[in-house]
């Protein structure tokens, strides 16, 4: 029987939502931790995952906490506006705080849980704030070399390289640079390296033979990234989603990040409604933002 993985991205997707959803659906996070050690950068990050409730749905929130090695703080500000996670962290948490209280304020035990997870999140926000200036200059070729040198199994290596290449080509096209000259200020950040390689590791661990996805909502409005104020979807995200059906959405936010877009555009063989299958497991991965009327989670459905 072939195993199908379906990305039901009714609230878009980001790299951390993909990993959260896969762990939630039963992928083994300790395999992730062990396999990622092959990259030999574990002094730069720490992985955390925990259950959170997003608008009534219990989901798994995956976080990459970047460890400050006390080097170059010069780019901190710039980094915090990159359109990958940091956009989320920057604006996401205070927002989260507000909504969770609003929604769950009167249910005592809920409130407790939130209290914990949010102080926790808050703590991350600060950590994110002043680390990783020094990861700014990992180029596409550095990352590709790092993946090839790690000795992952061929399927993982192939998936990870294709996803990075997709992002590198899109960024290169927009900034007018050849692929090997692309320096990732967003994707070179450790958290994206982990999200992309991590997604490949977990999909491989789950022994998935086919991946499908719903059309991808991108959101609307404007976001701040390090080049200024941009429309949503950000140019790189839109470029990556060429050939992928995107879905109109009234949510004024960046629902799909370049990493999320690249994972789905490279891995999904078909974009359709939920396919015929016998459902075996379901996972919900939480995003950093919280919206008033819909849960900001990515659902994955695995079946055969």
């Amino acid at each position: 029987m072939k195993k199908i993985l379906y990305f039901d991205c009714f609230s878009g997707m980001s790299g951390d939502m993909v990993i959260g959803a896969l762990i939630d659906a039963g992928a083994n996070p300790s395999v992730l931790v062990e396999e990622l050690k092959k990259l030999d950068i574990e002094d730069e990050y720490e992985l955390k995952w925990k259950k959170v409730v997003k608008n009534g749905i219990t989901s798994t929130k995956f976080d990459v906490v970047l460890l400050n090695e006390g080097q170059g703080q010069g780019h901190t500000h710039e980094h915090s506006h990159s359109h990958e996670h940091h956009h989320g962290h920057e604006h996401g948490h205070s927002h989260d705080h507000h909504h969770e209280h609003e929604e769950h304020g009167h249910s005592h035990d809920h409130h407790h849980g939130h209290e914990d997870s949010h102080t926790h999140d808050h703590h991350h926000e600060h950590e994110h704030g002043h680390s990783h200036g020094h990861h700014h200059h990992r180029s596409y070729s550095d990352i590709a070399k790092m993946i090839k040198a790690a000795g992952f199994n061929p399927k993982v290596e192939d998936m990870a390289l294709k996803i990075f290449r997709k992002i590198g080509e899109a960024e290169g096209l927009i900034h007018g640079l050849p692929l090997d000259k692309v320096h990732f200020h967003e994707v070179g950040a450790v958290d994206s390296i982990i999200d992309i390689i991590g997604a490949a590791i977990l999909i491989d661990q789950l022994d998935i033979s086919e991946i499908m996805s719903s059309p991808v909502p991108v959101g609307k409005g404007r976001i701040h990234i390090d080049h200024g104020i941009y429309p949503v979807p950000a140019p790189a995200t839109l470029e990556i989603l060429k050939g992928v059906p995107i879905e109109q959405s009234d949510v004024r936010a960046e629902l799909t990040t370049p990493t999320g877009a690249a994972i789905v555009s490279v891995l999904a063989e078909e974009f359709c409604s939920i396919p015929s299958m016998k459902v075996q497991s379901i996972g919900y991965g939480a995003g950093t933002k919280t919206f008033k009327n819909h849960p900001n989670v990515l659902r994955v459905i695995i079946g055969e």
Side-chain angles (χ1 to χ4, degrees), residues 9-20:
C9 37
F10 56 86
S11 187
M13 66 198 296
S14 60
D16 53 337
M17 286 164 87
V18 170
I19 296 203

Side-chain angles (χ1 to χ4, degrees), residues 50-53 97 100-101 104 107-121:
K50 59 174 185 283
K51 294 273 189 203
V52 298
V53 177
H97 233 60
E100 302 288 19
H101 288 311
H104 298 302
S107 116
H108 187 65
D109 35 12
H110 255 341
H111 190 58
H112 254 30
H114 284 299
E115 199 86 345
D116 295 345
S117 63
H118 287 298
T119 23
H120 203 55
D121 271 358

Side-chain angles (χ1 to χ4, degrees), residues 4-6 274-280 301-304:
I4 296 172
L5 168 68
Y6 181 74
I274 299 176
S276 304
M277 61 171 155
K278 190 163 130 198
V279 176
Q280 293 171 325
I301 303 171
I302 298 171
E304 45 186 38

Side-chain angles (χ1 to χ4, degrees), residues 32-63:
L32 179 70
V33 173
E34 281 311 301
E35 283 290 305
L36 286 170
K37 287 183 178 164
K38 296 178 178 174
L39 292 168
D40 209 23
I41 54 171
E42 71 271 39
D43 57 338
E44 296 183 26
Y45 67 86
E46 193 185 323
L47 304 183
K48 291 192 172 167
W49 55 91
K50 59 174 185 283
K51 294 273 189 203
V52 298
V53 177
K54 280 279 193 196
N55 301 47
I57 295 181
T58 301
S59 48
T60 297
K61 177 78 188 79
F62 174 76
D63 268 304

Side-chain angles (χ1 to χ4, degrees), residues 8-9 21 30 35 38 41 53 63 65 68 75 90 92 101 126 133 156-157 159 166 169 172 216 218 230 245 268 293:
D8 187 5
C9 37
S30 52
E35 283 290 305
K38 296 178 178 174
I41 54 171
V53 177
D63 268 304
V65 181
N68 190 0
H75 302 291
E90 195 78 358
H101 288 311
H126 297 310
V156 170
E157 181 178 313
M159 276 188 271
K166 188 82 173 171
E169 285 171 347
V216 181
V218 289
Y230 271 49
N293 299 321

